[in-house]
Amino acid sequence: MSGQSQRLNVVPTVTMLGVMKARLVGATRGHALLKKKSDALTVQFRQILKKIVSAKESMGDIMKTSSFALTEAKYVAGENIKHVVLENVKNASLKVRSRQENVAGVKLPKFEYFTEGETKNDLTGLARGGQQVQACRAAYVKSIEVLVELASLQTSFLTLDEAIKTTNRRVNALENVVKPRIENTISYIKGELDELEREDFFRLKKIQGYKKRELERQRAAAKQFAEDQSAEKISLQKGISINAAHNLLTATMQKDDDIIF
């Protein structure tokens, strides 16, 4: 995880180290928020799943009751009751409208039914079978209620499922890719800065050692010069110069080519 491919290609400077730390804080905070969002969506997802199971279980009985009521109405009022009902109905009295519900930043569509206008089939089946026709209508209104609720739950279920998948992908990306890469980049920058600091420290030690040796050499030269001056002063007091004695000694040691013996 610490290779070149697992970190960002940045210049190891103190400023970039601060930028990477700020990005790591942001990534950690975003990971925590997305994790909470995923948990909230999962709770809502399970609640909707329970409601879907309950609605589907009740839908079977309601649809069975509705079909049986329709059979009774046809048996009592005759097969032509369907045409009589269609002639009396011009517009639908039960309609469906949609709205949106916000759950942890995810907009879930909600469907609900409402009654608009008055029913004009109150006199349908007046000759015979009017009670069965009204019972059939009430049964199918109940069926529509359950179907609208089930459609709303199914749509919210699919929307939540997609939102949970997207959120979990983002959580996994932050946890397994983004945060490790930033952490490796921070470790790389710290290592490079420590190496530069060690190089600077070693360079300063070398410079200090050189200055110390140069200072000692200058002190030794000054001390030697002071000793030479002191010796010269003493020799002058005795009547001979050290430089003159040195020149005389040098001239004596030179070979004279004209004298042969």
Side-chain angles (χ1 to χ4, degrees):
M1 294 296 292
S2 59
Q4 179 71 21
S5 62
Q6 296 299 328
R7 65 173 178 82
L8 299 175
N9 189 13
V10 296
V11 180
T13 59
V14 178
T15 304
M16 187 55 65
L17 179 61
V19 173
M20 288 294 107
K21 287 184 177 180
R23 290 182 62 178
L24 181 60
V25 171
T28 304
R29 189 175 301 169
H31 176 266
L33 292 175
L34 286 176
K35 190 67 176 176
K36 291 180 180 179
K37 178 181 178 180
S38 177
D39 295 340
L41 293 178
T42 303
V43 171
Q44 187 71 18
F45 182 80
R46 292 174 180 173
Q47 291 178 357
I48 291 177
L49 182 60
K50 291 180 180 179
K51 291 180 181 179
I52 289 175
V53 173
S54 176
K56 285 186 176 181
E57 289 177 352
S58 63
M59 184 181 66
D61 297 334
I62 293 174
M63 295 302 293
K64 181 175 66 175
T65 303
S66 301
S67 299
F68 188 72
L70 178 61
T71 304
E72 284 183 345
K74 286 183 178 181
Y75 178 76
V76 175
E79 291 291 337
N80 293 329
I81 190 64
K82 179 176 68 174
H83 301 288
V84 175
V85 172
L86 290 177
E87 288 177 359
N88 292 331
V89 175
K90 301 299 181 182
N91 296 318
S93 59
L94 286 177
K95 296 185 178 180
V96 179
R97 58 190 172 195
S98 63
R99 60 183 179 86
Q100 288 185 343
E101 182 179 355
N102 193 350
V103 177
V106 179
K107 295 182 179 180
L108 300 179
K110 293 289 183 179
F111 303 118
E112 56 184 13
Y113 73 95
F114 63 98
T115 303
E116 188 179 58
E118 297 180 356
T119 58
K120 298 180 180 181
N121 56 355
D122 294 339
L123 301 178
T124 304
L126 184 61
R128 59 175 183 172
Q131 184 178 0
Q132 282 75 16
V133 171
Q134 296 300 323
C136 179
R137 180 181 182 279
Y140 272 96
V141 168
K142 184 65 175 176
S143 300
I144 290 175
E145 295 176 5
V146 176
L147 287 175
V148 170
E149 181 184 2
L150 186 59
S152 177
L153 292 174
Q154 287 283 111
T155 307
S156 299
F157 181 83
L158 295 176
T159 305
L160 271 180
D161 184 45
E162 188 65 28
I164 289 174
K165 289 180 181 179
T166 303
T167 305
N168 288 336
R169 283 197 296 267
R170 291 176 180 176
V171 170
N172 293 331
L174 285 174
E175 184 176 357
N176 300 320
V177 178
V178 178
K179 287 179 64 177
R181 185 172 295 176
I182 295 177
E183 290 172 354
N184 292 334
T185 304
I186 290 175
S187 300
Y188 163 73
I189 294 175
K190 286 183 177 179
E192 291 295 324
L193 291 178
D194 291 341
E195 184 68 24
L196 291 175
E197 186 177 357
R198 284 192 294 269
E199 290 179 359
D200 292 338
F201 180 73
F202 179 75
R203 188 181 300 110
L204 289 176
K205 285 187 66 177
K206 295 289 288 184
I207 292 174
Q208 288 178 356
Y210 174 77
K211 288 183 177 180
K212 185 177 180 180
R213 290 192 300 271
E214 184 68 19
L215 184 60
E216 291 178 352
R217 188 185 64 81
Q218 292 179 0
R219 288 178 179 176
K223 184 178 179 181
Q224 183 66 32
F225 180 75
E227 292 178 353
D228 292 343
Q229 291 295 325
S230 178
E232 180 71 19
K233 186 176 180 181
I234 293 173
S235 62
L236 288 176
Q237 290 178 356
K238 293 181 177 181
I240 186 170
S241 173
I242 293 179
N243 293 329
H246 180 70
N247 294 333
L248 181 60
L249 182 59
T250 303
T252 306
M253 292 178 62
Q254 290 180 354
K255 186 178 180 181
D256 194 354
D257 295 334
D258 295 336
I259 300 175
I260 301 174
F261 59 85

